[in-house]
PDB file of all heavy atoms in Angstrom:
ATOM      1  N   SER X   1    -125.051  -5.406 -15.487  1.00 93.00           N
ATOM      2  CA  SER X   1    -123.610  -5.104 -15.606  1.00 93.00           C
ATOM      3  C   SER X   1    -123.246  -4.103 -14.522  1.00 93.00           C
ATOM      4  O   SER X   1    -124.016  -3.780 -13.623  1.00 93.00           O
ATOM      5  CB  SER X   1    -123.303  -4.525 -16.985  1.00 93.00           C
ATOM      6  OG  SER X   1    -123.883  -3.253 -17.115  1.00 93.00           O
ATOM      7  N   ASN X   2    -122.055  -3.545 -14.626  1.00 91.00           N
ATOM      8  CA  ASN X   2    -121.635  -2.560 -13.637  1.00 91.00           C
ATOM      9  C   ASN X   2    -122.024  -1.154 -14.069  1.00 91.00           C
ATOM     10  O   ASN X   2    -121.712  -0.165 -13.346  1.00 91.00           O
ATOM     11  CB  ASN X   2    -120.097  -2.645 -13.435  1.00 91.00           C
ATOM     12  CG  ASN X   2    -119.713  -3.919 -12.746  1.00 91.00           C
ATOM     13  OD1 ASN X   2    -120.450  -4.412 -11.901  1.00 91.00           O
ATOM     14  ND2 ASN X   2    -118.556  -4.477 -13.120  1.00 91.00           N
ATOM     15  N   GLN X   3    -122.663  -1.006 -15.244  1.00 93.00           N
ATOM     16  CA  GLN X   3    -123.008   0.313 -15.741  1.00 93.00           C
ATOM     17  C   GLN X   3    -124.160   0.894 -14.911  1.00 93.00           C
ATOM     18  O   GLN X   3    -125.116   0.194 -14.587  1.00 93.00           O
ATOM     19  CB  GLN X   3    -123.394   0.271 -17.176  1.00 93.00           C
ATOM     20  CG  GLN X   3    -123.751   1.601 -17.806  1.00 93.00           C
ATOM     21  CD  GLN X   3    -124.109   1.545 -19.261  1.00 93.00           C
ATOM     22  OE1 GLN X   3    -123.957   0.478 -19.898  1.00 93.00           O
ATOM     23  NE2 GLN X   3    -124.565   2.604 -19.867  1.00 93.00           N
ATOM     24  N   LEU X   4    -124.114   2.197 -14.669  1.00 95.00           N
ATOM     25  CA  LEU X   4    -125.196   2.872 -13.936  1.00 95.00           C
ATOM     26  C   LEU X   4    -126.378   3.090 -14.876  1.00 95.00           C
ATOM     27  O   LEU X   4    -126.214   3.499 -16.012  1.00 95.00           O
ATOM     28  CB  LEU X   4    -124.678   4.220 -13.414  1.00 95.00           C
ATOM     29  CG  LEU X   4    -125.678   5.058 -12.585  1.00 95.00           C
ATOM     30  CD1 LEU X   4    -125.946   4.348 -11.260  1.00 95.00           C
ATOM     31  CD2 LEU X   4    -125.143   6.483 -12.346  1.00 95.00           C
ATOM     32  N   PHE X   5    -127.551   2.767 -14.361  1.00 98.00           N
ATOM     33  CA  PHE X   5    -128.824   3.029 -15.043  1.00 98.00           C
ATOM     34  C   PHE X   5    -129.691   3.909 -14.178  1.00 98.00           C
ATOM     35  O   PHE X   5    -129.842   3.687 -12.962  1.00 98.00           O
ATOM     36  CB  PHE X   5    -129.575   1.717 -15.307  1.00 98.00           C
ATOM     37  CG  PHE X   5    -129.180   1.021 -16.549  1.00 98.00           C
ATOM     38  CD1 PHE X   5    -127.924   0.442 -16.690  1.00 98.00           C
ATOM     39  CD2 PHE X   5    -130.051   0.949 -17.681  1.00 98.00           C
ATOM     40  CE1 PHE X   5    -127.559  -0.217 -17.876  1.00 98.00           C
ATOM     41  CE2 PHE X   5    -129.665   0.336 -18.832  1.00 98.00           C
ATOM     42  CZ  PHE X   5    -128.395  -0.238 -18.940  1.00 98.00           C
ATOM     43  N   LEU X   6    -130.230   4.916 -14.794  1.00 98.00           N
ATOM     44  CA  LEU X   6    -131.237   5.750 -14.157  1.00 98.00           C
ATOM     45  C   LEU X   6    -132.635   5.198 -14.448  1.00 98.00           C
ATOM     46  O   LEU X   6    -132.790   4.488 -15.403  1.00 98.00           O
ATOM     47  CB  LEU X   6    -131.161   7.218 -14.629  1.00 98.00           C
ATOM     48  CG  LEU X   6    -129.842   7.983 -14.416  1.00 98.00           C
ATOM     49  CD1 LEU X   6    -129.955   9.375 -14.993  1.00 98.00           C
ATOM     50  CD2 LEU X   6    -129.456   8.014 -12.963  1.00 98.00           C
ATOM     51  N   THR X   7    -133.613   5.582 -13.634  1.00 98.00           N
ATOM     52  CA  THR X   7    -134.967   5.436 -13.996  1.00 98.00           C
ATOM     53  C   THR X   7    -135.681   6.718 -13.503  1.00 98.00           C
ATOM     54  O   THR X   7    -135.052   7.656 -13.074  1.00 98.00           O
ATOM     55  CB  THR X   7    -135.579   4.137 -13.397  1.00 98.00           C
ATOM     56  OG1 THR X   7    -136.889   3.930 -13.957  1.00 98.00           O
ATOM     57  CG2 THR X   7    -135.669   4.147 -11.917  1.00 98.00           C
ATOM     58  N   ASP X   8    -136.990   6.770 -13.646  1.00 98.00           N
ATOM     59  CA  ASP X   8    -137.703   8.033 -13.377  1.00 98.00           C
ATOM     60  C   ASP X   8    -137.932   8.267 -11.940  1.00 98.00           C
ATOM     61  O   ASP X   8    -137.520   7.473 -11.060  1.00 98.00           O
ATOM     62  CB  ASP X   8    -139.020   8.154 -14.229  1.00 98.00           C
ATOM     63  CG  ASP X   8    -139.940   7.008 -13.879  1.00 98.00           C
ATOM     64  OD1 ASP X   8    -139.606   5.838 -13.936  1.00 98.00           O
ATOM     65  OD2 ASP X   8    -141.134   7.323 -13.483  1.00 98.00           O
ATOM     66  N   GLY X   9    -138.635   9.336 -11.596  1.00 98.00           N
ATOM     67  CA  GLY X   9    -138.990   9.628 -10.233  1.00 98.00           C
ATOM     68  C   GLY X   9    -140.417   9.185  -9.865  1.00 98.00           C
ATOM     69  O   GLY X   9    -140.866   8.135 -10.347  1.00 98.00           O
ATOM     70  N   GLY X  10    -141.049   9.989  -9.044  1.00 98.00           N
ATOM     71  CA  GLY X  10    -142.397   9.642  -8.636  1.00 98.00           C
ATOM     72  C   GLY X  10    -143.435  10.123  -9.671  1.00 98.00           C
ATOM     73  O   GLY X  10    -143.879  11.306  -9.634  1.00 98.00           O
ATOM     74  N   ILE X  11    -143.769   9.250 -10.567  1.00 98.00           N
ATOM     75  CA  ILE X  11    -144.655   9.669 -11.672  1.00 98.00           C
ATOM     76  C   ILE X  11    -145.979  10.166 -11.259  1.00 98.00           C
ATOM     77  O   ILE X  11    -146.424  11.237 -11.721  1.00 98.00           O
ATOM     78  CB  ILE X  11    -144.809   8.496 -12.735  1.00 98.00           C
ATOM     79  CG1 ILE X  11    -145.665   8.913 -13.891  1.00 98.00           C
ATOM     80  CG2 ILE X  11    -145.389   7.248 -12.051  1.00 98.00           C
ATOM     81  CD1 ILE X  11    -145.696   7.958 -15.016  1.00 98.00           C
ATOM     82  N   GLU X  12    -146.649   9.491 -10.304  1.00 98.00           N
ATOM     83  CA  GLU X  12    -147.974   9.960  -9.893  1.00 98.00           C
ATOM     84  C   GLU X  12    -147.903  11.289  -9.172  1.00 98.00           C
ATOM     85  O   GLU X  12    -148.716  12.200  -9.409  1.00 98.00           O
ATOM     86  CB  GLU X  12    -148.631   8.888  -9.017  1.00 98.00           C
ATOM     87  CG  GLU X  12    -148.941   7.566  -9.728  1.00 98.00           C
ATOM     88  CD  GLU X  12    -147.825   6.584  -9.759  1.00 98.00           C
ATOM     89  OE1 GLU X  12    -146.764   6.896  -9.114  1.00 98.00           O
ATOM     90  OE2 GLU X  12    -147.939   5.519 -10.344  1.00 98.00           O
ATOM     91  N   THR X  13    -146.983  11.472  -8.204  1.00 97.00           N
ATOM     92  CA  THR X  13    -146.899  12.697  -7.494  1.00 97.00           C
ATOM     93  C   THR X  13    -146.500  13.875  -8.400  1.00 97.00           C
ATOM     94  O   THR X  13    -146.966  15.007  -8.251  1.00 97.00           O
ATOM     95  CB  THR X  13    -145.954  12.610  -6.279  1.00 97.00           C
ATOM     96  OG1 THR X  13    -144.690  12.067  -6.733  1.00 97.00           O
ATOM     97  CG2 THR X  13    -146.546  11.703  -5.228  1.00 97.00           C
ATOM     98  N   THR X  14    -145.643  13.587  -9.370  1.00 98.00           N
ATOM     99  CA  THR X  14    -145.302  14.606 -10.339  1.00 98.00           C
ATOM    100  C   THR X  14    -146.486  15.036 -11.190  1.00 98.00           C
ATOM    101  O   THR X  14    -146.754  16.243 -11.357  1.00 98.00           O
ATOM    102  CB  THR X  14    -144.190  14.135 -11.290  1.00 98.00           C
ATOM    103  OG1 THR X  14    -142.962  13.883 -10.480  1.00 98.00           O
ATOM    104  CG2 THR X  14    -143.835  15.151 -12.377  1.00 98.00           C
ATOM    105  N   LEU X  15    -147.187  14.098 -11.703  1.00 98.00           N
ATOM    106  CA  LEU X  15    -148.361  14.405 -12.549  1.00 98.00           C
ATOM    107  C   LEU X  15    -149.499  15.140 -11.751  1.00 98.00           C
ATOM    108  O   LEU X  15    -150.164  16.016 -12.302  1.00 98.00           O
ATOM    109  CB  LEU X  15    -148.916  13.144 -13.177  1.00 98.00           C
ATOM    110  CG  LEU X  15    -147.987  12.457 -14.197  1.00 98.00           C
ATOM    111  CD1 LEU X  15    -148.531  11.069 -14.580  1.00 98.00           C
ATOM    112  CD2 LEU X  15    -147.850  13.315 -15.444  1.00 98.00           C
ATOM    113  N   ILE X  16    -149.635  14.774 -10.506  1.00 97.00           N
ATOM    114  CA  ILE X  16    -150.676  15.393  -9.723  1.00 97.00           C
ATOM    115  C   ILE X  16    -150.304  16.743  -9.202  1.00 97.00           C
ATOM    116  O   ILE X  16    -150.971  17.738  -9.443  1.00 97.00           O
ATOM    117  CB  ILE X  16    -151.079  14.498  -8.538  1.00 97.00           C
ATOM    118  CG1 ILE X  16    -151.733  13.210  -8.987  1.00 97.00           C
ATOM    119  CG2 ILE X  16    -151.950  15.236  -7.513  1.00 97.00           C
ATOM    120  CD1 ILE X  16    -151.918  12.164  -7.893  1.00 97.00           C
ATOM    121  N   PHE X  17    -149.097  16.856  -8.559  1.00 96.00           N
ATOM    122  CA  PHE X  17    -148.770  18.107  -7.855  1.00 96.00           C
ATOM    123  C   PHE X  17    -148.028  19.088  -8.773  1.00 96.00           C
ATOM    124  O   PHE X  17    -148.158  20.304  -8.500  1.00 96.00           O
ATOM    125  CB  PHE X  17    -147.887  17.742  -6.645  1.00 96.00           C
ATOM    126  CG  PHE X  17    -148.667  17.084  -5.522  1.00 96.00           C
ATOM    127  CD1 PHE X  17    -148.597  15.664  -5.407  1.00 96.00           C
ATOM    128  CD2 PHE X  17    -149.464  17.811  -4.658  1.00 96.00           C
ATOM    129  CE1 PHE X  17    -149.293  15.065  -4.410  1.00 96.00           C
ATOM    130  CE2 PHE X  17    -150.183  17.184  -3.664  1.00 96.00           C
ATOM    131  CZ  PHE X  17    -150.082  15.807  -3.514  1.00 96.00           C
ATOM    132  N   HIS X  18    -147.313  18.657  -9.751  1.00 96.00           N
ATOM    133  CA  HIS X  18    -146.572  19.587 -10.603  1.00 96.00           C
ATOM    134  C   HIS X  18    -147.306  19.869 -11.963  1.00 96.00           C
ATOM    135  O   HIS X  18    -147.196  20.918 -12.502  1.00 96.00           O
ATOM    136  CB  HIS X  18    -145.178  19.036 -10.930  1.00 96.00           C
ATOM    137  CG  HIS X  18    -144.304  18.951  -9.736  1.00 96.00           C
ATOM    138  ND1 HIS X  18    -144.154  19.972  -8.854  1.00 96.00           N
ATOM    139  CD2 HIS X  18    -143.517  17.966  -9.271  1.00 96.00           C
ATOM    140  CE1 HIS X  18    -143.299  19.637  -7.872  1.00 96.00           C
ATOM    141  NE2 HIS X  18    -142.928  18.394  -8.095  1.00 96.00           N
ATOM    142  N   GLU X  19    -148.040  18.840 -12.441  1.00 96.00           N
ATOM    143  CA  GLU X  19    -148.695  18.994 -13.735  1.00 96.00           C
ATOM    144  C   GLU X  19    -150.225  19.237 -13.619  1.00 96.00           C
ATOM    145  O   GLU X  19    -150.856  19.547 -14.578  1.00 96.00           O
ATOM    146  CB  GLU X  19    -148.435  17.775 -14.593  1.00 96.00           C
ATOM    147  CG  GLU X  19    -146.967  17.476 -14.867  1.00 96.00           C
ATOM    148  CD  GLU X  19    -146.259  18.601 -15.647  1.00 96.00           C
ATOM    149  OE1 GLU X  19    -146.938  19.273 -16.411  1.00 96.00           O
ATOM    150  OE2 GLU X  19    -145.066  18.796 -15.398  1.00 96.00           O
ATOM    151  N   GLY X  20    -150.736  19.052 -12.429  1.00 97.00           N
ATOM    152  CA  GLY X  20    -152.175  19.381 -12.213  1.00 97.00           C
ATOM    153  C   GLY X  20    -153.173  18.364 -12.720  1.00 97.00           C
ATOM    154  O   GLY X  20    -154.342  18.665 -12.868  1.00 97.00           O
ATOM    155  N   HIS X  21    -152.712  17.120 -12.960  1.00 97.00           N
ATOM    156  CA  HIS X  21    -153.608  16.102 -13.423  1.00 97.00           C
ATOM    157  C   HIS X  21    -154.369  15.483 -12.264  1.00 97.00           C
ATOM    158  O   HIS X  21    -153.865  15.331 -11.155  1.00 97.00           O
ATOM    159  CB  HIS X  21    -152.848  14.964 -14.172  1.00 97.00           C
ATOM    160  CG  HIS X  21    -152.332  15.407 -15.467  1.00 97.00           C
ATOM    161  ND1 HIS X  21    -153.141  15.553 -16.609  1.00 97.00           N
ATOM    162  CD2 HIS X  21    -151.063  15.663 -15.901  1.00 97.00           C
ATOM    163  CE1 HIS X  21    -152.412  15.939 -17.589  1.00 97.00           C
ATOM    164  NE2 HIS X  21    -151.128  15.990 -17.227  1.00 97.00           N
ATOM    165  N   ASN X  22    -155.597  15.053 -12.561  1.00 96.00           N
ATOM    166  CA  ASN X  22    -156.380  14.288 -11.609  1.00 96.00           C
ATOM    167  C   ASN X  22    -156.181  12.809 -11.966  1.00 96.00           C
ATOM    168  O   ASN X  22    -156.564  12.353 -13.055  1.00 96.00           O
ATOM    169  CB  ASN X  22    -157.873  14.643 -11.744  1.00 96.00           C
ATOM    170  CG  ASN X  22    -158.756  13.783 -10.836  1.00 96.00           C
ATOM    171  OD1 ASN X  22    -158.326  13.370  -9.764  1.00 96.00           O
ATOM    172  ND2 ASN X  22    -159.913  13.471 -11.305  1.00 96.00           N
ATOM    173  N   LEU X  23    -155.601  12.051 -11.048  1.00 97.00           N
ATOM    174  CA  LEU X  23    -155.314  10.647 -11.279  1.00 97.00           C
ATOM    175  C   LEU X  23    -156.193   9.856 -10.320  1.00 97.00           C
ATOM    176  O   LEU X  23    -155.825   9.632  -9.162  1.00 97.00           O
ATOM    177  CB  LEU X  23    -153.863  10.298 -11.079  1.00 97.00           C
ATOM    178  CG  LEU X  23    -152.827  11.011 -11.936  1.00 97.00           C
ATOM    179  CD1 LEU X  23    -151.450  10.452 -11.635  1.00 97.00           C
ATOM    180  CD2 LEU X  23    -153.172  10.846 -13.431  1.00 97.00           C
ATOM    181  N   PRO X  24    -157.370   9.423 -10.730  1.00 97.00           N
ATOM    182  CA  PRO X  24    -158.217   8.602  -9.850  1.00 97.00           C
ATOM    183  C   PRO X  24    -157.488   7.346  -9.407  1.00 97.00           C
ATOM    184  O   PRO X  24    -156.895   6.650 -10.229  1.00 97.00           O
ATOM    185  CB  PRO X  24    -159.407   8.280 -10.708  1.00 97.00           C
ATOM    186  CG  PRO X  24    -158.970   8.416 -12.131  1.00 97.00           C
ATOM    187  CD  PRO X  24    -157.920   9.514 -12.107  1.00 97.00           C
ATOM    188  N   TYR X  25    -157.519   7.057  -8.114  1.00 96.00           N
ATOM    189  CA  TYR X  25    -156.877   5.920  -7.528  1.00 96.00           C
ATOM    190  C   TYR X  25    -155.343   5.864  -7.856  1.00 96.00           C
ATOM    191  O   TYR X  25    -154.729   4.782  -7.865  1.00 96.00           O
ATOM    192  CB  TYR X  25    -157.533   4.593  -8.014  1.00 96.00           C
ATOM    193  CG  TYR X  25    -158.991   4.511  -7.615  1.00 96.00           C
ATOM    194  CD1 TYR X  25    -159.952   4.692  -8.628  1.00 96.00           C
ATOM    195  CD2 TYR X  25    -159.398   4.283  -6.317  1.00 96.00           C
ATOM    196  CE1 TYR X  25    -161.330   4.677  -8.300  1.00 96.00           C
ATOM    197  CE2 TYR X  25    -160.749   4.248  -6.008  1.00 96.00           C
ATOM    198  CZ  TYR X  25    -161.711   4.435  -6.985  1.00 96.00           C
ATOM    199  OH  TYR X  25    -163.089   4.379  -6.670  1.00 96.00           O
ATOM    200  N   PHE X  26    -154.791   7.020  -8.090  1.00 96.00           N
ATOM    201  CA  PHE X  26    -153.310   7.083  -8.354  1.00 96.00           C
ATOM    202  C   PHE X  26    -152.970   6.399  -9.691  1.00 96.00           C
ATOM    203  O   PHE X  26    -151.886   5.870  -9.861  1.00 96.00           O
ATOM    204  CB  PHE X  26    -152.504   6.508  -7.202  1.00 96.00           C
ATOM    205  CG  PHE X  26    -151.539   7.452  -6.610  1.00 96.00           C
ATOM    206  CD1 PHE X  26    -151.835   8.791  -6.378  1.00 96.00           C
ATOM    207  CD2 PHE X  26    -150.260   7.025  -6.302  1.00 96.00           C
ATOM    208  CE1 PHE X  26    -150.897   9.659  -5.789  1.00 96.00           C
ATOM    209  CE2 PHE X  26    -149.298   7.866  -5.720  1.00 96.00           C
ATOM    210  CZ  PHE X  26    -149.666   9.206  -5.469  1.00 96.00           C
ATOM    211  N   ALA X  27    -153.938   6.355 -10.587  1.00 98.00           N
ATOM    212  CA  ALA X  27    -153.799   5.535 -11.828  1.00 98.00           C
ATOM    213  C   ALA X  27    -153.294   6.409 -12.995  1.00 98.00           C
ATOM    214  O   ALA X  27    -154.095   7.046 -13.732  1.00 98.00           O
ATOM    215  CB  ALA X  27    -155.119   4.923 -12.190  1.00 98.00           C
ATOM    216  N   ALA X  28    -151.983   6.463 -13.197  1.00 98.00           N
ATOM    217  CA  ALA X  28    -151.384   7.225 -14.259  1.00 98.00           C
ATOM    218  C   ALA X  28    -151.801   6.716 -15.599  1.00 98.00           C
ATOM    219  O   ALA X  28    -151.882   7.465 -16.588  1.00 98.00           O
ATOM    220  CB  ALA X  28    -149.855   7.252 -14.113  1.00 98.00           C
ATOM    221  N   TYR X  29    -152.060   5.419 -15.692  1.00 98.00           N
ATOM    222  CA  TYR X  29    -152.422   4.849 -17.038  1.00 98.00           C
ATOM    223  C   TYR X  29    -153.717   5.433 -17.571  1.00 98.00           C
ATOM    224  O   TYR X  29    -153.981   5.394 -18.819  1.00 98.00           O
ATOM    225  CB  TYR X  29    -152.536   3.318 -16.912  1.00 98.00           C
ATOM    226  CG  TYR X  29    -153.884   2.817 -16.454  1.00 98.00           C
ATOM    227  CD1 TYR X  29    -154.897   2.527 -17.409  1.00 98.00           C
ATOM    228  CD2 TYR X  29    -154.162   2.565 -15.129  1.00 98.00           C
ATOM    229  CE1 TYR X  29    -156.135   2.097 -17.009  1.00 98.00           C
ATOM    230  CE2 TYR X  29    -155.427   2.115 -14.731  1.00 98.00           C
ATOM    231  CZ  TYR X  29    -156.393   1.909 -15.640  1.00 98.00           C
ATOM    232  OH  TYR X  29    -157.648   1.439 -15.225  1.00 98.00           O
ATOM    233  N   ASP X  30    -154.536   6.004 -16.706  1.00 98.00           N
ATOM    234  CA  ASP X  30    -155.816   6.598 -17.115  1.00 98.00           C
ATOM    235  C   ASP X  30    -155.564   7.737 -18.139  1.00 98.00           C
ATOM    236  O   ASP X  30    -156.454   8.004 -18.984  1.00 98.00           O
ATOM    237  CB  ASP X  30    -156.523   7.191 -15.903  1.00 98.00           C
ATOM    238  CG  ASP X  30    -157.979   7.460 -16.168  1.00 98.00           C
ATOM    239  OD1 ASP X  30    -158.727   6.574 -16.587  1.00 98.00           O
ATOM    240  OD2 ASP X  30    -158.400   8.651 -15.960  1.00 98.00           O
ATOM    241  N   LEU X  31    -154.388   8.376 -18.083  1.00 98.00           N
ATOM    242  CA  LEU X  31    -154.098   9.449 -19.043  1.00 98.00           C
ATOM    243  C   LEU X  31    -153.951   8.925 -20.491  1.00 98.00           C
ATOM    244  O   LEU X  31    -154.093   9.670 -21.431  1.00 98.00           O
ATOM    245  CB  LEU X  31    -152.771  10.149 -18.623  1.00 98.00           C
ATOM    246  CG  LEU X  31    -152.806  10.953 -17.354  1.00 98.00           C
ATOM    247  CD1 LEU X  31    -151.439  11.465 -17.006  1.00 98.00           C
ATOM    248  CD2 LEU X  31    -153.818  12.061 -17.404  1.00 98.00           C
ATOM    249  N   LEU X  32    -153.690   7.640 -20.656  1.00 98.00           N
ATOM    250  CA  LEU X  32    -153.555   7.076 -21.998  1.00 98.00           C
ATOM    251  C   LEU X  32    -154.810   7.041 -22.792  1.00 98.00           C
ATOM    252  O   LEU X  32    -154.808   6.808 -23.982  1.00 98.00           O
ATOM    253  CB  LEU X  32    -152.984   5.668 -21.888  1.00 98.00           C
ATOM    254  CG  LEU X  32    -151.531   5.492 -21.421  1.00 98.00           C
ATOM    255  CD1 LEU X  32    -151.216   4.069 -21.030  1.00 98.00           C
ATOM    256  CD2 LEU X  32    -150.566   6.005 -22.477  1.00 98.00           C
ATOM    257  N   LYS X  33    -155.938   7.334 -22.130  1.00 98.00           N
ATOM    258  CA  LYS X  33    -157.224   7.230 -22.784  1.00 98.00           C
ATOM    259  C   LYS X  33    -157.499   8.453 -23.675  1.00 98.00           C
ATOM    260  O   LYS X  33    -158.406   8.425 -24.532  1.00 98.00           O
ATOM    261  CB  LYS X  33    -158.334   7.141 -21.773  1.00 98.00           C
ATOM    262  CG  LYS X  33    -158.252   5.827 -20.906  1.00 98.00           C
ATOM    263  CD  LYS X  33    -159.306   5.831 -19.787  1.00 98.00           C
ATOM    264  CE  LYS X  33    -159.145   4.646 -18.876  1.00 98.00           C
ATOM    265  NZ  LYS X  33    -160.087   4.662 -17.754  1.00 98.00           N
ATOM    266  N   GLN X  34    -156.714   9.529 -23.449  1.00 97.00           N
ATOM    267  CA  GLN X  34    -156.953  10.765 -24.219  1.00 97.00           C
ATOM    268  C   GLN X  34    -155.653  11.256 -24.840  1.00 97.00           C
ATOM    269  O   GLN X  34    -154.569  11.081 -24.215  1.00 97.00           O
ATOM    270  CB  GLN X  34    -157.495  11.889 -23.289  1.00 97.00           C
ATOM    271  CG  GLN X  34    -158.822  11.538 -22.658  1.00 97.00           C
ATOM    272  CD  GLN X  34    -159.948  11.490 -23.600  1.00 97.00           C
ATOM    273  OE1 GLN X  34    -159.859  12.020 -24.723  1.00 97.00           O
ATOM    274  NE2 GLN X  34    -161.057  10.796 -23.311  1.00 97.00           N
ATOM    275  N   PRO X  35    -155.678  11.844 -26.010  1.00 98.00           N
ATOM    276  CA  PRO X  35    -154.465  12.344 -26.627  1.00 98.00           C
ATOM    277  C   PRO X  35    -153.666  13.283 -25.769  1.00 98.00           C
ATOM    278  O   PRO X  35    -152.423  13.153 -25.728  1.00 98.00           O
ATOM    279  CB  PRO X  35    -154.933  13.043 -27.929  1.00 98.00           C
ATOM    280  CG  PRO X  35    -156.232  12.357 -28.251  1.00 98.00           C
ATOM    281  CD  PRO X  35    -156.864  12.036 -26.874  1.00 98.00           C
ATOM    282  N   PHE X  36    -154.277  14.208 -25.095  1.00 97.00           N
ATOM    283  CA  PHE X  36    -153.558  15.173 -24.260  1.00 97.00           C
ATOM    284  C   PHE X  36    -152.885  14.486 -23.090  1.00 97.00           C
ATOM    285  O   PHE X  36    -151.794  14.848 -22.652  1.00 97.00           O
ATOM    286  CB  PHE X  36    -154.503  16.280 -23.730  1.00 97.00           C
ATOM    287  CG  PHE X  36    -155.331  15.885 -22.548  1.00 97.00           C
ATOM    288  CD1 PHE X  36    -154.830  16.085 -21.241  1.00 97.00           C
ATOM    289  CD2 PHE X  36    -156.584  15.316 -22.682  1.00 97.00           C
ATOM    290  CE1 PHE X  36    -155.605  15.746 -20.146  1.00 97.00           C
ATOM    291  CE2 PHE X  36    -157.356  14.959 -21.646  1.00 97.00           C
ATOM    292  CZ  PHE X  36    -156.871  15.194 -20.354  1.00 97.00           C
ATOM    293  N   GLY X  37    -153.539  13.413 -22.554  1.00 98.00           N
ATOM    294  CA  GLY X  37    -152.923  12.649 -21.478  1.00 98.00           C
ATOM    295  C   GLY X  37    -151.735  11.869 -21.948  1.00 98.00           C
ATOM    296  O   GLY X  37    -150.743  11.793 -21.242  1.00 98.00           O
ATOM    297  N   THR X  38    -151.900  11.297 -23.109  1.00 98.00           N
ATOM    298  CA  THR X  38    -150.752  10.544 -23.686  1.00 98.00           C
ATOM    299  C   THR X  38    -149.569  11.441 -23.907  1.00 98.00           C
ATOM    300  O   THR X  38    -148.429  11.098 -23.623  1.00 98.00           O
ATOM    301  CB  THR X  38    -151.157   9.896 -25.006  1.00 98.00           C
ATOM    302  OG1 THR X  38    -152.262   8.979 -24.746  1.00 98.00           O
ATOM    303  CG2 THR X  38    -149.994   9.074 -25.610  1.00 98.00           C
ATOM    304  N   GLU X  39    -149.838  12.649 -24.389  1.00 98.00           N
ATOM    305  CA  GLU X  39    -148.717  13.593 -24.605  1.00 98.00           C
ATOM    306  C   GLU X  39    -148.105  14.052 -23.289  1.00 98.00           C
ATOM    307  O   GLU X  39    -146.877  14.333 -23.217  1.00 98.00           O
ATOM    308  CB  GLU X  39    -149.216  14.806 -25.419  1.00 98.00           C
ATOM    309  CG  GLU X  39    -149.459  14.497 -26.849  1.00 98.00           C
ATOM    310  CD  GLU X  39    -148.265  13.833 -27.510  1.00 98.00           C
ATOM    311  OE1 GLU X  39    -147.151  14.383 -27.414  1.00 98.00           O
ATOM    312  OE2 GLU X  39    -148.398  12.722 -28.045  1.00 98.00           O
ATOM    313  N   SER X  40    -148.896  14.135 -22.254  1.00 98.00           N
ATOM    314  CA  SER X  40    -148.371  14.487 -20.918  1.00 98.00           C
ATOM    315  C   SER X  40    -147.395  13.378 -20.441  1.00 98.00           C
ATOM    316  O   SER X  40    -146.333  13.699 -19.886  1.00 98.00           O
ATOM    317  CB  SER X  40    -149.497  14.686 -19.909  1.00 98.00           C
ATOM    318  OG  SER X  40    -150.234  15.832 -20.144  1.00 98.00           O
ATOM    319  N   LEU X  41    -147.748  12.141 -20.648  1.00 98.00           N
ATOM    320  CA  LEU X  41    -146.909  11.049 -20.290  1.00 98.00           C
ATOM    321  C   LEU X  41    -145.613  11.039 -21.148  1.00 98.00           C
ATOM    322  O   LEU X  41    -144.527  10.775 -20.641  1.00 98.00           O
ATOM    323  CB  LEU X  41    -147.680   9.705 -20.440  1.00 98.00           C
ATOM    324  CG  LEU X  41    -148.750   9.460 -19.359  1.00 98.00           C
ATOM    325  CD1 LEU X  41    -149.519   8.214 -19.773  1.00 98.00           C
ATOM    326  CD2 LEU X  41    -148.122   9.293 -17.998  1.00 98.00           C
ATOM    327  N   ARG X  42    -145.817  11.326 -22.433  1.00 98.00           N
ATOM    328  CA  ARG X  42    -144.608  11.379 -23.312  1.00 98.00           C
ATOM    329  C   ARG X  42    -143.652  12.444 -22.787  1.00 98.00           C
ATOM    330  O   ARG X  42    -142.435  12.208 -22.726  1.00 98.00           O
ATOM    331  CB  ARG X  42    -145.064  11.688 -24.747  1.00 98.00           C
ATOM    332  CG  ARG X  42    -143.886  11.653 -25.749  1.00 98.00           C
ATOM    333  CD  ARG X  42    -144.363  12.193 -27.105  1.00 98.00           C
ATOM    334  NE  ARG X  42    -145.432  11.388 -27.611  1.00 98.00           N
ATOM    335  CZ  ARG X  42    -145.342  10.269 -28.237  1.00 98.00           C
ATOM    336  NH1 ARG X  42    -144.137   9.752 -28.486  1.00 98.00           N
ATOM    337  NH2 ARG X  42    -146.364   9.594 -28.709  1.00 98.00           N
ATOM    338  N   LYS X  43    -144.156  13.628 -22.497  1.00 98.00           N
ATOM    339  CA  LYS X  43    -143.307  14.719 -21.986  1.00 98.00           C
ATOM    340  C   LYS X  43    -142.657  14.289 -20.696  1.00 98.00           C
ATOM    341  O   LYS X  43    -141.472  14.582 -20.555  1.00 98.00           O
ATOM    342  CB  LYS X  43    -144.226  15.966 -21.786  1.00 98.00           C
ATOM    343  CG  LYS X  43    -143.443  17.146 -21.117  1.00 98.00           C
ATOM    344  CD  LYS X  43    -144.377  18.276 -20.857  1.00 98.00           C
ATOM    345  CE  LYS X  43    -143.661  19.447 -20.144  1.00 98.00           C
ATOM    346  NZ  LYS X  43    -144.612  20.537 -19.789  1.00 98.00           N
TER     347      LYS X  43
END
């Protein structure tokens, strides 16, 4: 439609450089394997 939709920013660079996560091969989905990682993605 004509309505504006936002989406997110650079998830991998945010998680690596701002949140201090190690993302092997730039793989953000790897965080889903642990509860703390899932909560980081939720946040």
Side-chain angles (χ1 to χ4, degrees):
S1 68
N2 293 325
Q3 181 179 353
L4 183 67
F5 273 70
L6 301 179
T7 189
D8 60 305
I11 182 171
E12 293 88 2
T13 51
T14 295
L15 291 170
I16 292 170
F17 290 99
H18 294 312
E19 301 298 330
H21 288 287
N22 175 35
L23 300 184
Y25 301 106
F26 237 44
Y29 86 88
D30 195 57
L31 293 176
L32 291 166
K33 298 174 184 177
Q34 300 292 338
F36 80 90
T38 301
E39 287 309 305
S40 291
L41 288 171
R42 185 189 302 276
K43 176 184 175 183

